[in-house]
Amino acid sequence: MTINSNKKATVSFESLLKIFTVPEGPESTLTQIESALSHNLNAFLNDHIVAEEKPLADIERDFAQAQIPDEPEFVSVHTDHLLEKVVAHSVHTASPHFIGHMTSALPYFLLPLAKVMTALNQNLVKIETSKAFTPLERQVLGMLHHLIYQRSDAFYAPLMHSASHSLGAFCSGGTVANITALWVARNHALPADGGFAGIAHSGLNAALRHYGYDDLAILVSERGHYSLKKAADVLGIGQNNVVTIPTDEHNRLDLAAFETTLTQLKQKNVCVFAVVGIAGTTETGNVDPLPAMAKICQRENIHFHVDAAWGGATLFSDTHRHLLRGIEQADSVTIDAHKQLYIPMGAGMVLFKNPSALQAIEHHAQYILRAGSKDLGSHTLEGSRSGIAMLVYSSLHILGRRGYQLLIDQSIQKAHFFARLISEQADFELVSKPELCLLTYRYVPHIAVKALAIATQEQQNKLNALLNELTIFMQKKQRENGRSFVSRTQLTPLRWSSYPIVVFRVVLANPLTTEDILRSVLDEQRHLAQQATSLLKMIEADCRAILDQS
Amino acid sequence: MTINSNKKATVSFESLLKIFTVPEGPESTLTQIESALSHNLNAFLNDHIVAEEKPLADIERDFAQAQIPDEPEFVSVHTDHLLEKVVAHSVHTASPHFIGHMTSALPYFLLPLAKVMTALNQNLVKIETSKAFTPLERQVLGMLHHLIYQRSDAFYAPLMHSASHSLGAFCSGGTVANITALWVARNHALPADGGFAGIAHSGLNAALRHYGYDDLAILVSERGHYSLKKAADVLGIGQNNVVTIPTDEHNRLDLAAFETTLTQLKQKNVCVFAVVGIAGTTETGNVDPLPAMAKICQRENIHFHVDAAWGGATLFSDTHRHLLRGIEQADSVTIDAHKQLYIPMGAGMVLFKNPSALQAIEHHAQYILRAGSKDLGSHTLEGSRSGIAMLVYSSLHILGRRGYQLLIDQSIQKAHFFARLISEQADFELVSKPELCLLTYRYVPHIAVKALAIATQEQQNKLNALLNELTIFMQKKQRENGRSFVSRTQLTPLRWSSYPIVVFRVVLANPLTTEDILRSVLDEQRHLAQQATSLLKMIEADCRAILDQS
């Protein structure tokens, strides 16, 4: 199918109407691609995504033109171009060898369902452009609310579709979910009061003046997601007022330090309006001491938000649900469906314990979101939104709670296997143990293991700096070679006296990742390390010096 | 395809693996739906979406369960359920009779391309999960930047893929785009200065103290989109500090009132950090006097943002581009691709004249968005995002600028036709003339036209109140009958002494909407009005009284 049937694409209103009414022909490139995707997605991705990385600068040359082309292009010509320039150099996020980020393979049924969603092109900001999708999304929010808070049917029955209540808000992802939670918390802390109209109407400055605070703050462990600082900036709190609390050796918020900081801030007349607990840190996958944090927040009347964007899905598992104990006491919880719920990109949620909480950010307008309407847009940060809730709805039904439980259980099991495997190697160091399905490690040549064990602090730091360079070199090389992918981050383990250590970071959510693949990743990395010849020489020289001294 | 081949869906890890590796069979319901969508989308939507509206309360009963089902469900069973309960009661936004909102039919090629996008499941927050999609998105932003600002190739060449510059930010929609623009403006107005770290780091309160302002404000006409108040709330400015300026009889910001308000706010020591011009008001489709507003903003050193979420696509048309004159002087511009660029829901953009502007909201983290990286996430409000930019990229190439020009031209032409048609009727009143492809009108029985012409102010208001009820009745009935759809809003036309008038609101973007359809909409509405028997009697009685007096 082309804009019209002539050899050269030209444009007339009649030909334009065709692109809205006449589908691609059965022999067209695009129809064939669609069919290949439906027939064998993994084969299509393996065949069309080039493994070895093309340098970014080379790719950029294909996307250099700022002028919008004046003349139309044949769909078939453009499709070939997309295959060669875009698909070929995209990232194979569904590959079982791609274990570096939280993006995984998707269940097959989601592809046709996503097509249905696109074809329906609903806008969930209001009922007039979404109808059944509005109660559907509300039910999905209700189901996730139940997953966390486990309230009775009698609780949900009058609330699920109430115009004056919201069990949560759907959004594009965890960042918007976190911003929404903190926005609600901020507005609740500084509400209307007598002649004062509240922060939502009068602004932060007037609110602090009215309530007599010197400033606002959010508390979170040093492992908090970067979106919290972004949220603090957006919300007018300021990034520096995200006060970070040190963590223990398991990357969990240190409760004593938390209490001390709280006291200090109170003495400074700073209003701590939100505390964020993490259920699955982005870097290490650990869970904060949620019950103790909840208790302190209740005592201090502080909004307790839990960022479970990634880890929240653990609640599906009877086996591992206990790891998130205390989450049911949170005032709000972030969960991303595009992470461990295996939904395509763009599906985040924030749930609120109190079904009236979202009234703190309620908005109305004349043409939509009229007061009393059930338009979802009156309680979301975003306006127009797609019907992606349908994909969550379908997955919750087709997989069922037990299906998700199996996925979670096998992910965590696989992470424990990989942790054992790493620990068994003489030349790898497990840096953070998996609590959920995430772990970090690094490559340490055997001689360096021995040298580090007896080195002075200064020698350790020097050696660790070299090892950091080695880790960065290996991670980049591994990505460029395209056989497998792990990500990297920087941690400050107590074992190395809080010196910043660069580590490989692995997320084992893809059900297609096998134990053999994990073995091959270590083999490949060991092999890659050998390519860093000059770095290895420097490391060896340093180690010899340390070992010779002793 | 089912989770496994037994009659009852059960769950084992092997059966779960299948849903990640084995596609739906060719005879499955889901495959057949997909094929129907590909073969004839319009027929599928016409066949499967029930025209007559089911009451929302009835629909809600189908989405009442908060418990996530424990056991899995067969894909085929679930698909039938979706067809019956969700698709059937969704909104036929692609229908040429659906002319009430900004959602329209989509070009056919976008369906298979959306499937490719879903299958690739890229995450554009960082290059490691998006690779070629990162330069692709940057190019799309560059193309939209060029559409607005028309800078030379020499301008774009060094900037398009520069790690330290951004021509704009992609986001889920116009609301996030507007928030991003105002966030940047706010942070630019209160930057780091000597010992002060800037509002981004130290927060709004410290910033006002440092700069000695009493408060902040945003100025926009009374026709501004509701997202601006939401933005002001989020950003800590407060909704009341969105100061609205009256409009003239064409719904355009009144410049004299604008100057007066600016002076008053300065006298009150309020920092007006942003002025928002509207290029296509949501309710009436009018364009503010952008050149004059830009000039005043330059003089006062205020960030000038243009909300062209809907109207921005007018720039594609050589014929109508002049209507947005002055937009090229804006510091930032919002454009939604899911409106007049005919992209599925979820594609917004904000462009910045100054390619360094987005540095005001730059964010970094250890594991992604490292300083100096080209990760898109360091300059967006959202974190994880889909690769929907690919659909914009493809449409810009396949339609070309001239294709979009034709779409815009025919939309505006159709709006002018409809306006003429309405004016020719004895019993319809055109309330706002179309400047772009949006107009408002109402039904006024012939006798009321005559009565209003001679009524006193009080009599006019009383009659208009009844006519408002009639308009609301008609709009609801029309929606329920499901043959066609117009939206409604409330305006305060000078003609009716600024009394609030409820009007039908029509957006004529769907290229499949014909003149005959527009004629049939008026016929249907005239017919619907007759069903409001008691209202019509009251209107007639009032009119008789007025006419008898004279």
Side-chain angles (χ1 to χ4, degrees), chain A residues 19 38 63 69-70 81 91 101 108 115 122 128 161 172 186 200-201 230 233 239-240 382 393 401, chain B residues 19 38 63 69-70 81 91 101 108 115 122 128 161 172 186 200-201 233 239-240 380 382 393 401:
Chain A
I19 66 164
S38 301
F63 301 94
D70 218 48
H81 166 83
V91 176
H101 286 297
Y108 243 103
K115 188 168 166 185
Q122 304 293 289
E128 282 185 349
H161 300 293
S172 65
R186 188 201 66 182
H201 289 91
K230 203 196 278 192
D233 177 0
Q239 294 181 39
N240 295 351
E382 291 155 290
Y393 175 85
R401 201 225 15 111
Chain B
I19 67 163
S38 301
F63 301 94
D70 219 47
H81 166 83
V91 177
H101 285 298
Y108 242 103
K115 188 168 166 187
Q122 305 292 289
E128 282 185 350
H161 300 294
S172 65
R186 189 201 66 181
H201 288 92
D233 177 359
Q239 295 181 38
N240 296 351
T380 57
E382 291 154 291
Y393 175 85
R401 195 210 39 93

Side-chain angles (χ1 to χ4, degrees), chain B residues 46-237:
Chain B
N46 286 332
D47 289 353
H48 286 87
I49 300 180
V50 175
E52 207 164 331
E53 188 166 280
K54 186 174 171 181
L56 190 59
D58 292 355
I59 299 177
E60 285 168 353
R61 273 194 279 280
D62 295 326
F63 301 94
Q65 187 53 256
Q67 295 246 11
I68 295 165
D70 219 47
E71 297 301 324
E73 188 168 87
F74 288 117
V75 173
S76 54
V77 172
H78 185 72
T79 306
D80 286 335
H81 166 83
L82 280 181
L83 278 183
E84 190 195 340
K85 301 296 186 189
V86 182
V87 176
H89 303 292
S90 63
V91 177
H92 193 342
T93 57
S95 160
H97 300 262
F98 181 93
I99 54 174
H101 285 298
M102 289 163 174
T103 325
S104 153
L106 300 174
Y108 242 103
F109 60 82
L110 286 176
L111 258 95
L113 287 179
K115 188 168 166 187
V116 173
M117 179 193 99
T118 307
L120 292 174
N121 203 27
Q122 305 292 289
N123 181 352
L124 274 79
V125 71
K126 51 186 173 272
I127 289 173
E128 282 185 350
T129 50
S130 64
K131 223 150 68 177
F133 273 75
T134 289
L136 176 148
E137 184 170 294
R138 279 177 167 270
Q139 186 185 11
V140 170
L141 290 166
M143 285 177 157
L144 271 292
H145 192 281
H146 182 269
L147 182 70
I148 298 162
Y149 297 106
Q150 307 264 313
R151 304 294 301 266
S152 68
D153 285 356
F155 172 85
Y156 292 106
L159 295 173
M160 189 95 96
H161 300 294
S162 156
S164 44
H165 296 89
S166 286
L167 296 166
F170 220 94
C171 52
S172 65
T175 296
V176 174
N178 281 340
I179 294 175
T180 305
L182 295 171
W183 180 21
V184 166
R186 189 201 66 181
N187 286 9
H188 266 293
L190 304 160
D193 172 40
F196 174 64
I199 184 171
H201 288 92
S202 301
L204 193 146
N205 185 45
L208 290 190
R209 247 184 294 143
H210 178 82
Y211 284 101
Y213 294 120
D214 279 332
D215 223 331
L216 300 174
I218 300 165
L219 263 56
V220 65
S221 98
E222 56 184 335
R223 291 273 89 81
H225 190 254
Y226 72 95
S227 64
L228 299 172
K229 289 206 166 189
K230 201 195 280 190
D233 177 359
V234 172
L235 294 168
I237 316 294

Side-chain angles (χ1 to χ4, degrees), chain A residues 13-14 40 110 113 115 200 221 323 334 416 436 455 481 542:
Chain A
F13 187 59
E14 288 62 42
N40 192 336
L110 285 176
L113 288 179
K115 188 168 166 185
S221 96
L323 294 170
T334 289
H416 286 297
L436 306 179
N481 289 352
D542 269 26

Side-chain angles (χ1 to χ4, degrees), chain B residues 312-326:
Chain B
T314 311
L315 295 169
F316 285 110
S317 162
D318 287 340
T319 328
H320 298 290
R321 190 184 160 92
H322 70 93
L323 294 170
L324 270 57
R325 204 165 46 87

